[in-house]
Structure formats: C-alpha cells, structure tokens
Amino acid sequence: MTYQITADQVASRILDGEAVLIHYGSSEYFSLNRAGTWVWEALDASPRADGDVSKVLSAHFQLDESETGGQIQAFFRELEEAGLISSVDQSQAEAAAVQLDASGIDWEYDPPQLTKCGDLETLILSGE
Amino acid sequence: MNRETATSIAKELQLLKAPNTDVMFHGLSMEPLLAEGDRVQVDPVEIKDIVIGDIITYRLDDKFPTRRVAEIKLDYLILCCDNWPTVYFHAPFTEVLGRVRARTRDGVTLNCDDPEWEKRKRLALRNFRLETSEILPVRMKEWVLKRLRNSK
C-alpha cells in the first residue's frame, strides 16, 4: 500500500532529528523518534509504499526484512489511524516518486514510533 | 524529545500553521485595542516585513507575549505596550513568531488596516516616546552590554 501525508490537515517541525506533528482536525499532537522522523521526511518528499521503506531500512541496517516489514507496516497503520497519512493511488505515487536514500542515516535503528503527546487547546497570547 | 519541548513546538505550529485556530488574548497591557478574552489572528512574518507600530507575538519560555514594535535594532526589537507606556521589552529576531492581523470582540472583527487600529498605533507610539525619551537610550545600552557579556 502507498501513502502520502494528509498535507491539508497536518503541520510538522523537526528539531534535533525528531519531528512534532499536529493534526488540525483532531487537535492532537504527536512526536516521532529518529526512525519515525526519517520515514516522515521520506513521505514528505513523495508518496511511499510501506514495503519500499522497509526494504531500504532493512538493507541499510542489515535487518531481517520480514521483521522490519511488520514494524513499518504497523507504523504506517498508526499514522493512518491518526489521520496523518492516507492511502494513495499507486500510479499517482509512481509518477511523483522520489528515490529513497538511506545514505544520510547516522543513528542506530529503533523501530519507528509515533507517540501521542496530547490535545491542542485554546492558545493564549500573553499581554501581562 | 521530552513532552515539554513537543508541546512548545506544537503550540507554535498551532499558532502559525493551523487554519482557524482559536487564539485568545490574556492581560491588560494592550488595552484598549487588545483586551482580555479577545480572539486574535496572527500571521507568520519575516523580520524584513516588520515595521514600527506592528503588534508581534514572540517566544519567551513557554509563553507568547504580544506587544507593539517601538524600535527595530540590528538583531532585536524594542517592544512597548499600549496600556503601559513606561514599560518596554526586548525580543531577539530569532524569537519573533508572527504579527497580529486582526482581533475579534463580541463578534466584531477589527483588522490592522482599519483606521481605529491605526489611531491606537499612533497614540501608543507617541505615549511611549514621551514617557521613555530620556531613560530608553540608557536602558538599551545596559541591555546590549548585558547581552554581550552573556554571549562571551
């Protein structure tokens, strides 16, 4: 299955290799670990198939692809359930595809992880 | 990343990116233009686009103070408050987040290009200059020296 970021519903920022995501509709916000952020950046560049992501990560870290595949699939499922990504037509995805590149990875592998941090509340501007 | 940092980043994203986000003003310092409970719209802004008299929001610890630009220096702003003409603040360029575009009170929206907004701006800047013309240069020098000492 191929996915893309639901760009009209989501904003993100990366700090020290870890991303924070907010979802406008649900008002939830999340953080990602290093591997999750790498996947998120890959999705930000182009729609991605979970299988392609797990292939590249497995090859780079010399991991068992069946195990990594399950982890990546679960991660994509979590992102989708949170409304952060949605599935996309395969042909559209292929047309927009940007090569996945693991050469910049400088961290140890941990399965990608999405953590819900809380719900956004009314924002207060301080005039004190 | 700890939760506190994530929350802080999420709030900035909410302020600047989320459409129709609910932003409320709290405090007395910008009355009568901005009052407690007013709904406020803030747009992202580039430093080069800021002019004296704009009302800007900046990052200070976990808060978003919102004040009027009184002077623009090399790498920071001097900010004043409409309701407290003797008080002023400094905001390094790096901490500036956005500029207030409008406020809504009792269902009525006032935009920053409205004549009433312009009138409040002129009054606030005049009062600030009258109140601080002698003391401001001395205090600014002290603040710049303190920054230089801290950066060493």
Side-chain angles (χ1 to χ4, degrees):
Chain A
M1 189 83 92
T2 302
Y3 298 89
Q4 66 181 3
I5 292 174
T6 47
D8 59 338
Q9 287 291 308
V10 178
S12 65
R13 184 179 296 166
I14 297 170
L15 181 72
D16 298 332
E18 295 184 340
V20 174
L21 320 173
I22 69 169
H23 189 282
Y24 308 146
S26 67
S27 294
E28 293 173 320
Y29 65 103
F30 308 86
S31 65
L32 298 174
N33 65 356
R34 297 297 290 259
T37 301
W38 183 83
V39 175
W40 185 259
E41 285 184 291
L43 281 161
D44 197 30
S46 166
R48 301 287 177 197
D50 49 356
D52 292 343
V53 171
S54 61
K55 253 184 223 156
V56 170
L57 286 177
S58 303
H60 182 79
F61 288 106
Q62 297 176 322
L63 300 168
D64 176 0
E65 199 180 322
S66 61
E67 195 180 332
T68 319
Q71 292 164 352
I72 301 296
Q73 213 172 35
F75 178 64
F76 272 61
R77 203 163 43 240
E78 269 190 283
L79 291 174
E80 190 182 26
E81 281 168 7
L84 299 165
I85 61 172
S86 57
S87 59
V88 63
D89 180 64
Q90 185 72 33
S91 60
Q92 266 184 302
E94 279 167 11
V98 174
Q99 189 70 33
L100 255 181
D101 181 13
S103 61
I105 290 177
D106 59 356
W107 32 268
E108 297 293 313
Y109 181 78
D110 258 330
Q113 199 178 350
L114 174 73
T115 305
K116 184 183 168 183
C117 299
D119 294 301
L120 297 168
E121 295 169 356
T122 298
L123 204 57
I124 307 290
L125 301 187
S126 170
E128 304 177 296
Chain B
M1 180 183 300
N2 65 42
R3 194 190 176 92
E4 201 173 292
T5 307
T7 302
S8 172
I9 294 172
K11 282 182 177 179
E12 287 183 23
L13 288 171
Q14 181 187 13
L15 176 69
L16 300 174
K17 301 267 178 92
N20 307 317
T21 195
D22 200 11
V23 180
M24 197 172 79
F25 189 78
H26 166 69
L28 307 171
S29 66
M30 292 298 287
E31 282 191 349
L33 187 64
L34 301 180
E36 178 78 31
D38 282 352
R39 258 47 196 185
V40 180
Q41 286 162 310
V42 180
D43 292 335
V45 67
E46 300 273 337
I47 295 297
K48 66 178 173 53
D49 297 329
I50 292 175
V51 297
I52 290 173
D54 283 350
I55 298 175
I56 61 110
T57 292
Y58 62 104
R59 185 190 297 118
L60 184 68
D61 303 324
D62 61 342
K63 293 196 168 140
F64 299 116
T66 299
R67 314 192 194 282
R68 194 180 290 284
V69 177
E71 293 191 24
I72 302 171
K73 298 297 178 186
L74 193 63
D75 62 352
Y76 67 96
L77 303 172
I78 296 179
L79 305 164
C80 62
C81 301
D82 292 13
N83 198 27
W84 301 339
T86 56
V87 181
Y88 54 89
F89 301 85
H90 304 90
F93 286 170
T94 51
E95 305 307 304
V96 173
L97 296 170
R99 175 168 53 195
V100 176
R101 174 167 44 89
R103 69 112 160 104
T104 302
R105 185 184 301 163
D106 301 329
V108 179
T109 298
L110 188 71
N111 288 299
C112 63
D113 55 1
D114 190 282
E116 175 65 16
W117 192 291
E118 186 65 28
K119 183 178 139 195
R120 291 292 163 200
K121 178 174 90 177
R122 281 200 308 272
L123 263 174
L125 291 175
R126 193 195 64 181
N127 290 341
F128 174 74
R129 282 172 191 142
L130 281 173
E131 294 288 347
T132 60
S133 58
E134 287 179 11
I135 194 69
L136 186 61
V138 179
R139 292 279 167 77
M140 267 172 49
K141 194 175 167 189
E142 286 171 3
W143 188 75
V144 169
L145 287 172
K146 189 176 157 195
R147 276 184 85 197
L148 283 172
R149 275 199 300 273
N150 289 344
S151 68
K152 280 177 188 170

